[in-house]
Amino acid sequence: MSDQEFTRALGYANAAFDLLKRSGIPPYPQFYELLYTYATGVNPSLNTRLNSIFRGGEKPSSELAETLFNEFLKSDMTERMSSVSERMHARIEAVHDAIDTAMSTASSYSGSLQSATGDLEGDLSDEDMKALAARLLSETRRMQKTNLELEKRLEASRDDISLLQRDLDDVRRESMLDPLTKIANRKSFDEGLADALVEARDTNTPVSLIMADIDHFKTFNDTYGHQTGDQVLRLVAMTLKSNIKGKDLAARYGGEEFVAVLPYTDLHGAVIVAENVRKAIQAKELLKRSTNEKLGRITASFGVASFNPNDNAVSLIERADRCLYAAKHAGRNRVVSESELVDIVEAPKDASAA
């Protein structure tokens, strides 16, 4: 974690604890998560609701916090996973029951065959032979019926398991997407970057990282409202995603920050990609959907770093983050790569860098 990221996270944490203390809400993990999320601003719907509550003079309570947590943060993934698990368990139990029945029937049939073998070795009358044949025929039919039932149950289980697999795939995909922008979320980014670094080491190929931050987003959000802010976040996300290709991964890093992992791309190539994204964002003029009011243009700043043999995920992110802050302090709306860091003198860090 870079110094800048640590400072941001600490600020969010302090704000969350301050809100907990002032509201008299116990600092249970779910309530801390609720107010930490509010402090980051990554869930605009939650912020709109809480801001309305604060403006209305209502003092938050544990009950209200629980309600908000369940509404905005408690994912239905757990319930869906539980449902899939229960269905899988029921299907496995059904298969086990069918197999047990088939094994029991097979064992009985085997016993009947052994008994018949012993009888055949003796001197049987015609009537005894007919009775033995009838008994074996009955046992054979029972065995056929059991096998047919087992086949049907296995066929049904195969179809159901296919549906369960699709449900699990859907849940996993949703768990890896940012709900607002519909691009990869932080968890997906962490996994994607880790995989890209492993591949880069194994194949001795380059991989680069782009970090982007929307300039003056907080001011824009405060001026035009969270719904318009959401529109901006989606716009930047889609612009980033549309300017990468192949195995590249675009993700929302948090708040108004975005990242892109570019396997098989060196620093020079990554800078070109970042410049293309920067220009594409700057070229788009925003309109407020409800009124068609022109809101002007937005810009973003970019930091670019490339993997080296001594890197891990943390060190690569820290270098890209330093480049991003260098771009902010150098005037925003620009791309700074790690090769340029030595030529840029960073100004003191303050809130205006957002």
Side-chain angles (χ1 to χ4, degrees), residues 47 58 72 84 123 129 137 139 172 176 234 270 280 302 341:
N47 282 44
E58 181 180 353
F72 289 98
V84 171
D123 191 11
M129 184 66 74
L137 180 60
E139 288 291 327
R172 186 180 186 280
M176 303 298 278
R234 294 188 192 98
F302 296 80
L341 278 181

Side-chain angles (χ1 to χ4, degrees), residues 174-185:
E174 288 181 29
S175 73
M176 303 298 278
L177 290 179
D178 174 62
L180 176 64
T181 62
K182 303 304 180 183
I183 64 172
N185 60 16

Side-chain angles (χ1 to χ4, degrees), residues 116-185:
T117 300
D119 292 341
L120 288 172
E121 290 175 352
D123 191 11
L124 296 177
S125 66
D126 290 345
E127 289 298 322
D128 290 337
M129 184 66 74
K130 288 180 180 179
L132 176 60
R135 189 172 78 247
L136 288 177
L137 180 60
S138 174
E139 288 291 327
T140 300
R141 286 173 176 168
R142 188 163 73 93
M143 186 68 186
Q144 288 175 332
K145 181 181 179 181
T146 301
N147 285 341
L148 182 61
E149 290 177 355
L150 176 60
E151 183 180 338
K152 288 180 179 178
R153 289 193 183 186
L154 291 176
E155 184 72 22
S157 296
R158 186 186 68 180
D159 294 342
D160 199 24
I161 288 171
S162 295
L163 292 174
L164 289 170
Q165 184 62 55
R166 286 199 291 271
D167 287 347
L168 285 172
D169 290 342
D170 289 343
V171 170
R172 186 180 186 280
R173 277 194 297 271
E174 288 181 29
S175 73
M176 303 298 278
L177 290 179
D178 174 62
L180 176 64
T181 62
K182 303 304 180 183
I183 64 172
N185 60 16

Side-chain angles (χ1 to χ4, degrees), residues 181-226:
T181 62
K182 303 304 180 183
I183 64 172
N185 60 16
R186 177 67 178 270
K187 176 183 178 183
S188 182
F189 162 71
D190 289 339
E191 292 184 7
L193 179 60
D195 291 343
L197 296 188
V198 169
E199 185 174 3
R201 289 186 189 280
D202 291 345
T203 60
N204 195 29
T205 53
V207 58
S208 295
L209 176 66
I210 297 173
M211 296 194 75
D213 185 274
I214 303 173
D215 297 327
H216 302 297
F217 180 74
K218 186 177 185 304
T219 301
F220 186 93
N221 217 22
D222 292 342
T223 302
Y224 298 109
H226 290 293

Side-chain angles (χ1 to χ4, degrees), residues 15-34:
F17 277 118
D18 183 57
L19 286 168
L20 287 169
K21 184 177 180 180
R22 286 194 284 119
S23 302
I25 298 174
Y28 297 146
Q30 68 270 30
F31 298 156
Y32 169 76
E33 181 184 357
L34 177 74

